[in-house]
């Protein structure tokens, strides 16, 4: 989930304002932005074990330390087709199954249905 609002550059890197969504954890958010949970908690004056509230805006400072180009994440609508599974869709768009589940408030134990609409947050530079 890469809801980026008001991203701006400084000597600390890029400031990203991230809006917490249902199902988010500090660990998932930190992992998605290549930062540690400890850093994320520090930047937001909270405990690393604190529960997140949906709708809260977190500050993330991302220096792209891995040398990656800035990602271009876009919200993409996807209609499930016959034979699709969470893993097939995740592989197709280079995202994680757990992210698809969280973005769409799905239960892993339920099957996807053809025609079902999903929301994906895809880095368009890495997609097919």
């Amino acid at each position: 989930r890469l809801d980026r609002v008001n991203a701006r550059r400084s000597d600390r890197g890029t400031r990203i304002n991230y809006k917490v969504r249902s199902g988010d954890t500090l660990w998932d958010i930190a992992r998605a932005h290549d930062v540690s949970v400890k850093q994320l908690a520090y930047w937001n004056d909270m405990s690393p074990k604190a529960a997140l509230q949906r709708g809260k805006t977190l500050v993330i400072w991302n220096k792209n330390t891995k040398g990656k180009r800035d990602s271009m994440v876009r919200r993409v609508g996807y209609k499930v087709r016959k034979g699709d599974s969470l893993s097939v869709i995740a592989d197709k768009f280079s995202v994680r199954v757990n992210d698809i589940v969280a973005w769409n408030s799905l239960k892993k134990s339920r099957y996807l249905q053809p025609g079902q609409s999903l929301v994906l947050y895809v880095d368009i530079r890495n997609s097919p």
Side-chain angles (χ1 to χ4, degrees):
R1 226 165 298 221
L2 301 176
D3 293 345
R4 295 167 187 233
V5 181
N6 300 329
R8 76 172 204 263
R9 285 224 167 264
S10 79
D11 58 336
R12 293 192 283 181
T14 301
R15 178 188 166 130
I16 299 167
N17 292 330
Y18 178 87
K19 190 170 183 177
V20 176
R21 300 182 60 155
S22 180
D24 275 348
T25 65
L26 283 177
W27 186 85
D28 287 332
I29 296 167
R31 183 172 171 211
H33 293 278
D34 295 322
V35 298
S36 73
V37 171
K38 199 174 192 177
Q39 287 173 310
L40 186 56
Y42 174 77
W43 294 327
N44 291 281
D45 196 28
M46 58 193 304
S47 163
K49 296 183 181 189
L52 295 176
Q53 293 178 329
R54 188 175 55 145
K56 177 180 173 84
T57 300
L58 299 177
V59 172
I60 303 168
W61 290 99
N62 188 339
K63 287 195 175 202
N64 291 324
T65 55
K66 293 185 178 178
K68 295 180 184 174
R69 296 179 296 175
D70 287 346
S71 64
M72 290 186 63
V73 176
R74 298 291 183 260
R75 183 176 191 237
V76 175
Y78 180 79
K79 273 228 195 276
V80 175
R81 298 178 182 126
K82 184 177 180 182
D84 275 348
S85 68
L86 288 171
S87 61
V88 166
I89 297 167
D91 287 345
K92 183 183 278 188
F93 290 96
S94 300
V95 297
R96 296 178 330 135
V97 168
N98 286 340
D99 289 335
I100 296 172
V101 169
W103 295 330
N104 294 280
S105 301
L106 301 174
K107 293 183 181 174
K108 281 187 182 179
S109 60
R110 302 194 120 203
Y111 290 107
L112 296 175
Q113 300 297 318
Q116 182 176 354
S117 293
L118 298 176
V119 172
L120 307 173
Y121 292 89
V122 178
D123 184 342
I124 60 173
R125 293 184 182 177
N126 294 334
S127 64

